[in-house]
Amino acid sequence: MRFRWGALLLLIFMGESGRHGGQPLHAASIQAATDGGPAGARAFKGFWGQGAHFRIHNAKTLQLSEDLPVMREMWS
């Protein structure tokens, strides 16, 4: 997404169980993005989401090991 004042916003959606190099994927992607010099980056953990294959992911009280959605955003 490009804003009127020229800033860019990149949104990436992933599951919290994703891993890269032994660390959570959202943490690894923010670490890798820092080398590129974005103005900012953050990750949000969702409590409800729908995957690519229409599988619903949600946080229920007794299902602590659920693969919840994570949204990562980066802007410059």
Side-chain angles (χ1 to χ4, degrees):
M1 174 184 305
R2 184 175 290 277
F3 295 100
R4 215 179 328 171
W5 55 88
L8 291 173
L9 174 66
L10 172 67
L11 298 175
I12 301 171
F13 298 90
M14 60 190 79
E16 70 176 332
S17 64
R19 305 225 43 79
H20 178 73
Q23 66 179 357
L25 186 57
H26 60 274
S29 64
I30 288 178
Q31 182 69 35
T34 337
D35 299 337
R42 60 183 161 201
F44 299 93
K45 184 175 177 180
F47 60 90
W48 191 272
Q50 176 182 321
H53 299 286
F54 302 103
R55 184 172 149 229
I56 299 293
H57 305 267
N58 60 20
K60 294 183 180 175
T61 310
L62 298 176
Q63 293 179 338
L64 300 177
S65 63
E66 193 73 35
D67 184 21
L68 295 175
V70 173
M71 181 185 77
R72 184 193 161 303
E73 68 178 21
M74 181 175 65
W75 58 94
S76 64

